[in-house]
Amino acid sequence: MRNKEVAAVLYMIADLLDIKGEKFKPNAYRRAARVMEMMEEDIEVLAAGQKLKDISGIGEAITEKTAEYLKTGKVAVLEELRKEIPQGVVEMLDIPGVGPKTAGLVWKELGIMDVEGLKKAVQEHRLLKLKGFGEKKEAKILRGIEFLAEAKKRTPIGIALPLAEEMVALVKGSAPVINMSYAGSLRRMRETVGDLDFLAVSSKREEVVRAFTSMPFVREIVVAGDTKATVILDSGIQADLRVLDEGSWGSGLQYFTGSKDHNVHLRTIAQRQGLKLSEYGVFRGEERIAGATEEDVYRSLGMQYIEPEMREDAGEIEAAQEGRLPRLLTMADVLGDFHVHTSLSDGGDTLEEMIDAARARGYAYVGISDHSMSLKVARGVSVDDLMKRRDEIRNINQTSGDFRILLGTECEILANGDLDYPDEVLRELDYVIASVHSRFNMQIAEMTDRVLAAVNHPYVNILAHPFTGMVQRREPIQLDLERVAEEAAERGTALEINAFPDRLDLSGPQARLAKEKGAKLVIDTDSHSVDHLAFMRFGVGTARRGWLEPDDVVNCWPYERVREFLSR
Ligand SMILES: [Zn+2]
Ligand SMILES: [Zn+2]
């Protein structure tokens, strides 16, 4: 289906018309885009049958443009607008807190042509001359610009990890490699990464370097030496390779995995013991006493092996010295997923498809949680449809053997803290996820009260993506996590680590804080299609950054214990 693609084009036209200052047209385009996003019929099928004009809410002019786009891949109006409006002004729309009206105003009134110019104007307080602009708004724009600049430097893990894995596979496939891995913050499962770092061991070093530099998506070779290479990929990401000798594999991997703070701390410990730690190994005088494996490196320094995700110098070294590191959960511990959307709301696949895909992952159970009724942009589910869904799932459970399907909802937390379905409806469900999807701008006290109302609601079991941030796209809401975690612990409400790579919310350190306050956590993919179920690994990586063990995470528990937790 190309519905979403067409909707994106219409939204873009609306934004550009808004920048120009057009009055009513932008909203007509947005309305049409929303209709298209929510429509179940395939837009191409309708166009082929000359049926576009039958869609309600879309006027003739926009119908024509839709047909034009589907046929040619272009819309003349959009091309015109792009010529009229400087690209730099359009790029301002990427700044959180800057909409098309603001971008249009600063362009037309102040002649600002790009993000850099906007930053300068804000710093010189030139925006204050514009109607409706105060110091608060200026500060918000400046924060947004800084947020965007930071975001552009780094690649989200959802892109970086599959790419790095493909690169390792490509090199292994075309050169004799004994060992190869990515390192750096990617191996520590950070939400975003800068450069990609690779390490390899091989008896044929030049062949490895050649394989690395001749990968199909290498745009530019910066360095290609005997033991190292640096390339720039088509996407603009820099990738570095170092080929090590076998005896340095562990120490090299340790060194290039970081973090910097972790390594600095380790080196001081080595020095105190009269040892020298480097990328080449652990040395006593001239003698290398460890280096072939990471396990050896840590052991030689008198401590437990520390998993990469914990290497942030956040107490893990002390814990390792005292032999009290947690037994971090792994993918194998995960037995289910509670945050799964279907085509009943804004998911792309049907109930049956999502259930089959969850079962195929080897899970013991899956929870289905479509959006609640007031979230119109995501086709929230009516009470009637939800009750039909309940009967459907009861039937499926009759024949599903040991695999259990739970019916939940992702229920809106309304602005006043109320939930979007009445209690009589919530009571009929196996569990309830509560989420904030609107009114993101509340002050911390008000927002915390709003969220706490949901956390303490008798039918709520899970608080989804507590900060509602989007990695590199939207700043988190203001929330007192300590209080939320304390009350969640008391109430038996789990806090979610949303594994969708655009979210990763809670973060590792936040999850660790929640655990320290006694709260249970749950790792959910927030899947909107069968492919998304595989995002679980990003959530598990985040949980490991938060020092979590299987006992801390509800979906690592067997079904009976889950039932008990949900029915408290
Ligand atoms: Zn949500
Ligand atoms: Zn969701």
Side-chain angles (χ1 to χ4, degrees):
M1 292 235 298
R2 292 173 71 193
N3 296 25
K4 287 209 170 140
E5 179 191 331
V6 177
V9 170
L10 298 181
Y11 279 127
M12 179 51 82
I13 295 175
D15 282 348
L16 297 194
L17 287 171
D18 252 339
I19 291 178
K20 265 189 76 181
E22 296 263 358
K23 280 270 161 345
F24 305 108
K25 278 195 199 162
N27 283 337
Y29 275 96
R30 283 202 187 93
R31 217 165 26 239
R34 260 194 307 274
V35 169
M36 237 163 253
E37 273 178 328
M38 286 191 246
M39 206 164 68
E40 279 176 49
E41 300 85 5
D42 188 327
I43 193 88
E44 277 184 295
V45 175
L46 291 177
Q50 310 292 329
K51 291 222 169 83
L52 284 177
K53 57 183 179 319
D54 301 347
I55 310 169
S56 65
I58 303 185
E60 201 177 328
I62 297 179
T63 306
E64 271 167 31
K65 273 149 203 134
T66 301
E68 181 189 351
Y69 180 76
L70 286 170
K71 208 159 144 200
T72 66
K74 279 187 185 161
V75 187
V77 187
L78 181 58
E79 304 296 312
E80 280 306 309
L81 286 165
R82 282 194 194 284
K83 265 184 231 151
E84 258 177 80
I85 302 168
Q87 181 57 25
V89 175
V90 180
E91 280 165 14
M92 288 179 201
L93 301 180
D94 294 336
I95 305 168
V98 173
K101 295 223 168 78
T102 300
L105 209 57
V106 298
W107 170 45
K108 283 181 295 187
E109 301 287 321
L110 303 173
I112 298 169
M113 308 280 271
D114 53 27
V115 175
E116 207 33 58
L118 179 60
K119 184 174 178 183
K120 222 169 143 235
V122 172
Q123 284 164 340
E124 291 164 2
H125 300 292
R126 276 192 279 141
L127 266 53
L128 293 179
K129 282 184 238 148
L130 297 174
K131 211 177 135 210
F133 280 75
E135 279 174 17
K136 232 172 156 183
K137 185 145 185 192
E138 269 194 338
K140 190 173 176 197
I141 292 174
L142 197 58
R143 265 208 321 277
I145 292 174
E146 279 156 9
F147 185 81
L148 181 69
E150 216 33 61
K152 282 208 168 141
K153 279 190 259 161
R154 301 182 69 82
T155 305
I157 191 172
I159 293 168
L161 185 57
L163 177 64
E165 286 170 339
E166 190 187 346
M167 291 168 73
V168 170
L170 277 172
V171 173
K172 278 185 171 170
S174 53
V177 168
I178 299 165
N179 258 325
M180 183 164 177
S181 173
Y182 53 82
S185 51
L186 182 59
R187 189 159 173 256
R188 304 199 313 277
M189 297 294 281
R190 283 277 306 267
E191 295 90 333
T192 59
V193 303
D195 301 344
L196 297 176
D197 296 305
F198 295 88
L199 302 172
V201 174
S202 172
S203 54
K204 299 240 162 67
R205 295 170 171 225
E206 324 74 58
E207 283 186 40
V208 178
V209 169
R210 204 177 312 129
F212 186 78
T213 53
S214 55
M215 285 180 296
F217 39 76
V218 167
R219 183 212 293 165
E220 186 192 334
I221 301 171
V222 182
V223 182
D226 303 338
T227 60
K228 57 172 139 184
T230 296
V231 298
I232 310 290
L233 308 179
D234 284 337
S235 50
I237 303 174
Q238 178 177 321
D240 298 316
L241 169 74
R242 282 182 187 76
V243 192
L244 308 166
D245 77 64
E246 237 176 317
S248 297
W249 167 248
S251 49
L253 193 55
Q254 197 288 317
Y255 181 88
F256 288 107
T257 296
S259 67
K260 207 171 150 214
D261 291 344
H262 176 89
N263 286 356
V264 167
H265 193 165
L266 274 192
R267 274 202 296 279
T268 35
I269 287 172
Q271 277 161 11
R272 254 184 258 139
Q273 297 172 11
L275 303 171
K276 189 170 160 282
L277 169 65
S278 76
E279 57 196 281
Y280 303 107
V282 183
F283 295 86
R284 180 174 286 119
E286 294 294 294
E287 185 202 0
R288 177 154 74 188
I289 61 165
T293 70
E294 283 191 315
E295 284 80 357
D296 288 347
V297 169
Y298 284 99
R299 199 177 309 132
S300 71
L301 299 175
M303 64 182 79
Q304 285 178 292
Y305 171 71
I306 300 173
E307 299 283 355
E309 294 91 336
M310 298 179 74
R311 299 181 196 168
E312 300 289 347
D313 197 24
E316 74 282 6
I317 291 175
E318 293 80 356
Q321 286 176 313
E322 291 159 24
R324 53 176 177 84
L325 282 177
R327 200 287 265 167
L328 298 186
L329 83 161
T330 67
M331 280 295 280
D333 293 309
V334 176
L335 299 179
D337 193 335
F338 292 110
H339 194 153
V340 171
H341 296 274
T342 73
S343 49
L344 190 61
S345 65
D346 61 347
D349 292 310
T350 64
L351 175 65
E352 288 74 18
E353 286 165 339
M354 295 309 289
I355 291 173
D356 288 347
R359 190 205 292 257
R361 292 182 64 80
Y363 288 159
Y365 46 83
V366 67
I368 303 296
S369 59
D370 276 304
H371 288 289
S372 64
M373 53 190 177
S374 81
L375 196 64
K376 296 280 195 298
V377 289
R379 288 219 310 261
V381 177
S382 70
V383 171
D384 278 356
D385 284 345
L386 190 60
M387 291 303 106
K388 266 184 229 150
R389 180 42 69 89
R390 178 196 56 177
D391 299 338
E392 235 177 311
I393 285 181
R394 272 188 195 154
N395 281 334
I396 299 173
N397 270 323
Q398 303 275 323
T399 55
S400 67
D402 288 340
F403 186 76
R404 309 307 298 172
I405 302 117
L406 295 146
L407 176 61
T409 172
E410 180 173 13
C411 193
E412 293 301 291
I413 306 174
L414 305 177
N416 65 359
D418 284 351
L419 293 188
D420 192 24
Y421 288 124
D423 285 3
E424 308 86 77
V425 173
L426 296 175
R427 189 188 311 140
E428 296 298 313
L429 308 175
D430 296 310
Y431 68 100
V432 173
I433 301 177
S435 315
V436 169
H437 288 129
S438 61
R439 293 283 310 275
F440 298 115
N441 286 331
M442 290 179 170
Q443 299 299 309
I444 187 161
E446 198 188 354
M447 185 61 94
T448 301
D449 284 345
R450 175 184 178 191
V451 168
L452 282 176
V455 163
N456 286 309
H457 188 288
Y459 291 118
V460 169
N461 306 101
I462 295 170
L463 175 66
H465 44 71
F467 283 91
T468 79
M470 299 287 257
V471 175
Q472 299 189 330
R473 275 197 286 150
R474 189 169 67 219
E475 286 192 88
I477 56 171
Q478 307 279 319
L479 191 68
D480 182 345
L481 179 62
E482 270 190 52
R483 270 188 69 201
V484 169
E486 274 165 14
E487 296 197 24
E490 206 166 302
R491 186 78 212 184
T493 301
L495 303 185
E496 185 181 75
I497 294 174
N498 193 291
F500 209 91
D502 294 354
R503 287 209 186 260
L504 297 177
D505 169 15
L506 300 172
S507 70
Q510 288 165 344
R512 188 175 166 196
L513 173 73
K515 172 186 173 166
E516 279 164 10
K517 295 289 162 195
K520 293 296 180 194
L521 291 112
V522 55
I523 309 171
D524 287 329
T525 56
D526 205 348
S527 286
H528 285 71
S529 75
V530 291
D531 301 339
H532 293 168
L533 290 168
F535 290 160
M536 186 54 80
R537 63 174 172 160
F538 301 117
V540 167
T542 302
R544 288 164 62 86
R545 289 178 61 74
W547 296 40
L548 300 192
E549 303 185 289
D551 186 57
D552 303 316
V553 176
V554 177
N555 53 320
C556 291
W557 302 347
Y559 181 69
E560 285 68 34
R561 188 173 171 200
V562 167
R563 276 317 303 220
E564 206 176 302
F565 181 80
L566 296 180
S567 63
R568 58 109 174 90

